[in-house]
Amino acid sequence: MTESGRMWLYAHTAARWGLDKDPYIDRIKWVEENISLVRRIGEDPLSEMTWTDADEPWAFARACMEVARMHKEGKSFKTNLPVSMDATNQGLQIYSMILKDPVAALATNVTPHDIPQDVYQQVADRVRKKLFEDDNPYGDKWLAFGINRKTTKRQTMTLCYGSTFFSCRSYTAEWFYEQVKSGKVSPFGDETYRPCNYLAEKIWSSIGEVVQSAQIGMDWLRSVAALFVQNDVIPRWTTPLGFPVKMHYENTNPYTIKTMVGGTLRQHRLRIPNGQTNSRKTINAICPNWIHSLDGAGGLLGHTMNLAQSYGIQSVMTIHDSIGVLSTQAEVMHQSVREATVDIFGEQDQLQNLAQQLAIQLPSGVSLPSLPNRGRLNISEVLSSKYYFN
């Protein structure tokens, strides 16, 4: 166990307790100040049940076991627990880099800050400010009801995957109903639609202020997809690592299958693709599909794994935008993902690359809409951002 590995293990342990939004130094300090408790849990979790109060009880208990074993075995200790580092909403991070948006980049930890930034909390803070400044009587009632990061998380999180104001309104209502179901008293009586629609409007506009680049980028992508639908062309592109992508959503025709089973007529309805493009799915799907072609094995994840392997890392665990390695290798992996980010998004203009690939597929005389304006973000700043993945 190296000193760097010990720090990463401590930070991982505290994060599983519930301090994942705190600076690394505070996470490590929490474990050091509670080392007796952590060791008791690790040595006998059935006697010391405090671990059940953690945000992630089972993961926290397992981390405590690793810490306890490290202290017991001393220099002979060899760790075998993966510690994880997660992106701060990777889709929004990518849009901020594609559009070179410094505001969204800071909100999603692409650029460095002393403490980890929480984009969902920033949206919630703007919503509260709007409610306070508005004369609408719903505003004071929503403030009294309580607005926090959970109020805005789902709406913000799903934005980069193609969500619209209508889904924002739906998620806002679902959050409200869950709060009421858990015991909070509604300040609106039997009225729900108009108050939730009012709050959704505040959330949607606040999202646009914090991560404006995502909305601008998605608007451009949808307009491109609509152009392909109008000209009956199937969009195709290649990911940064050379993976081919073909995006073809077809309409379907219904077919009824009737079968006699034991003297009883059973009827089933199937839907068979008919080769015609499904306009709605094509336009809605291009945003998440393009983002995933950039963040997955064909893009950032794949390049990160290649770099990490070249630095000697052989064993990796990934879940979506979370990367897990042994704590002794965490610093190297942390550096690898940031270097891969600069290679893919700093050295190359991925939006321009996509536009060039798509433009040659359209009929003569048909042009793509102009690329959206880009800001002044220096993507190499991510090399200094310790909370980009954390």
Side-chain angles (χ1 to χ4, degrees):
M1 174 60 73
T2 62
E3 180 62 18
S4 171
R6 184 177 73 87
M7 295 296 99
W8 275 99
L9 177 57
Y10 279 9
H12 171 81
T13 303
R16 303 292 78 77
W17 174 256
L19 305 180
D20 53 309
K21 301 297 183 295
D22 289 20
Y24 288 128
I25 190 171
D26 290 345
R27 301 181 210 178
I28 294 167
K29 182 180 179 181
W30 183 88
V31 174
E32 291 174 339
E33 292 177 346
N34 292 275
I35 194 65
S36 296
L37 172 63
V38 170
R39 293 184 65 177
R40 288 199 307 273
I41 293 172
E43 292 166 0
D44 190 358
L46 295 181
S47 297
E48 178 56 79
M49 298 289 289
T50 309
W51 59 271
T52 59
D53 295 329
D55 277 8
E56 301 176 54
W58 297 103
F60 176 69
R62 176 62 182 87
C64 289
M65 293 177 188
E66 195 77 356
V67 172
R69 192 166 65 86
M70 179 183 68
H71 280 264
K72 181 179 180 181
E73 297 179 9
K75 293 183 179 180
S76 65
F77 170 74
K78 290 185 178 180
T79 184
N80 55 29
L81 174 69
V83 301
S84 61
M85 55 190 76
D86 304 349
T88 307
N89 194 309
Q90 195 168 37
L92 294 179
Q93 287 178 328
I94 289 175
Y95 275 118
S96 74
M97 292 185 286
I98 293 296
L99 275 298
K100 299 188 184 302
D101 179 356
V103 175
L106 180 61
T108 56
N109 293 305
V110 172
T111 49
H113 199 279
D114 292 338
I115 60 175
Q117 299 298 291
D118 185 346
V119 63
Y120 311 127
Q121 186 62 54
Q122 290 189 29
V123 173
D125 291 343
R126 289 186 181 242
V127 170
R128 281 201 295 266
K129 185 174 185 294
K130 293 177 188 296
L131 296 174
F132 179 78
E133 295 174 347
D134 198 351
D135 293 333
N136 193 306
Y138 289 147
D140 290 338
K141 291 183 179 181
W142 275 121
L143 288 171
F145 187 77
I147 303 296
N148 54 37
R149 69 186 301 273
K150 290 184 178 179
T151 311
T152 62
K153 181 177 180 179
R154 193 175 181 189
Q155 300 90 321
T156 308
M157 178 174 60
T158 57
L159 174 70
C160 52
Y161 302 121
S163 66
T164 62
F165 172 72
F166 298 101
S167 55
C168 175
R169 184 170 59 192
S170 176
Y171 295 150
T172 301
E174 289 178 16
W175 165 81
F176 172 66
Y177 295 142
E178 288 171 2
Q179 297 300 303
V180 173
K181 187 177 180 180
S182 67
K184 295 190 73 171
V185 178
S186 170
F188 308 106
D190 295 332
E191 188 179 24
T192 58
Y193 178 81
R194 289 201 295 177
C196 287
N197 186 75
Y198 168 79
L199 180 60
E201 289 175 347
K202 301 301 181 185
I203 293 173
W204 188 250
S205 61
S206 298
I207 292 172
E209 294 169 5
V210 176
V211 286
Q212 184 182 33
S213 52
Q215 291 185 335
I216 292 173
M218 289 191 300
D219 287 344
W220 184 84
L221 287 168
R222 290 193 188 104
S223 66
V224 168
L227 194 62
F228 271 71
V229 169
Q230 293 167 13
N231 289 275
D232 197 25
V233 179
I234 299 171
R236 303 168 190 261
W237 66 88
T238 304
T239 73
L241 267 62
F243 285 39
V245 179
K246 174 185 176 182
M247 196 181 76
H248 189 201
Y249 292 94
E250 298 180 36
N251 288 321
T252 58
N253 292 329
Y255 289 87
T256 300
I257 307 297
K258 296 180 180 179
T259 308
M260 292 297 296
V261 179
T264 302
L265 179 65
R266 303 289 184 180
Q267 180 171 300
H268 301 276
R269 184 177 293 273
L270 305 178
R271 301 199 69 88
I272 308 298
N274 60 18
Q276 298 175 352
T277 298
N278 185 308
S279 303
R280 181 181 58 83
K281 285 187 177 181
T282 300
I283 294 171
N284 289 338
I286 193 169
C287 299
N289 286 346
W290 185 56
I291 288 296
H292 287 315
S293 74
L294 294 175
D295 69 18
L300 181 59
L301 178 61
H303 189 38
T304 299
M305 295 303 104
N306 290 338
L307 286 178
Q309 187 177 44
S310 72
Y311 293 145
I313 296 178
Q314 298 297 319
S315 299
V316 181
M317 176 184 72
T318 64
I319 306 173
H320 301 294
D321 59 356
S322 174
I323 301 174
V325 292
L326 298 177
S327 61
T328 50
Q329 299 174 325
E331 193 62 41
V332 175
M333 179 58 76
H334 201 222
Q335 185 65 25
S336 297
V337 71
R338 288 178 290 174
E339 288 180 4
T341 298
V342 173
D343 288 346
I344 289 181
F345 298 105
E347 301 297 331
Q348 306 174 54
D349 187 336
Q350 296 299 342
L351 193 62
Q352 181 68 52
N353 288 347
L354 178 68
Q356 290 174 348
Q357 294 182 64
L358 295 178
I360 61 176
Q361 301 171 42
L362 292 170
S364 177
V366 179
S367 302
L368 292 176
S370 299
L371 288 173
N373 293 329
R374 261 68 69 83
R376 297 178 177 270
L377 173 66
N378 180 3
I379 294 175
S380 63
E381 290 185 54
V382 75
L383 294 173
S384 304
S385 179
K386 57 186 176 181
Y387 298 113
Y388 174 55
F389 270 63
N390 80 95

